[in-house]
Amino acid sequence: MQKQSEHFLFAHETEIEGLGGGLKRQMLGYNQEVMVVKVWFDKGAEGYVHKHRHSQVTYVESGEFHFSIDGEVKVLKPGDSCMIPPYAEHGAVCPTGGVLIDTFSPAREDFLEA
């Protein structure tokens, strides 16, 4: 894993990676301890239920998200956030289209693998 991002990242210069299924992501900064990622969801796109060893805090920048954490579902709107503990099963459906800001600790190594 690359040790850390540049000190300054500019949106127009930072790659936006297509993930398929109506999802795209852009790295906003990371080192080995923390990673912040912007994720775009097309209308109706789904972040399928999964789990990982990382703590995660997600902030809703825009749109409406039906978020599931360990089987509990809540509707999150702009300005809302959620805390996902390590190994908690979680996922989200975005009926409107929207943007999330995800923060992970430690950094998601799998996001940086080629």
Side-chain angles (χ1 to χ4, degrees), residues 15-66:
E15 178 186 4
I16 297 173
E17 177 185 5
L19 303 174
L23 300 171
K24 298 182 291 188
R25 79 172 162 226
Q26 183 180 45
M27 298 294 169
L28 301 182
Y30 62 90
N31 63 19
Q32 291 180 323
E33 289 88 28
V34 67
M35 173 182 278
V36 181
V37 180
K38 186 173 189 174
V39 185
W40 288 264
F41 283 67
D42 288 346
K43 183 177 181 178
E46 181 174 352
Y48 293 99
V49 174
H50 65 288
K51 61 184 176 179
H52 45 72
R53 69 181 187 91
H54 312 83
S55 294
Q56 177 177 341
V57 175
T58 295
Y59 172 80
V60 178
E61 181 179 288
S62 65
E64 178 180 296
F65 290 84
H66 298 202

Side-chain angles (χ1 to χ4, degrees), residues 64-109:
E64 178 180 296
F65 290 84
H66 298 202
F67 235 100
S68 170
I69 302 173
D70 279 341
E72 182 178 7
V73 178
K74 299 284 184 184
V75 176
L76 300 180
K77 296 183 178 182
D80 295 339
S81 59
C82 60
M83 167 60 193
I84 303 162
Y87 301 106
E89 289 193 340
H90 61 283
V93 176
C94 185
T96 61
V99 177
L100 298 177
I101 305 297
D102 287 333
T103 303
F104 301 97
S105 179
R108 292 284 305 262
E109 307 87 354

Side-chain angles (χ1 to χ4, degrees), residues 8-15 26:
F8 298 98
L9 290 97
F10 300 95
H12 68 281
E13 296 175 356
T14 304
E15 178 186 4
Q26 183 180 45

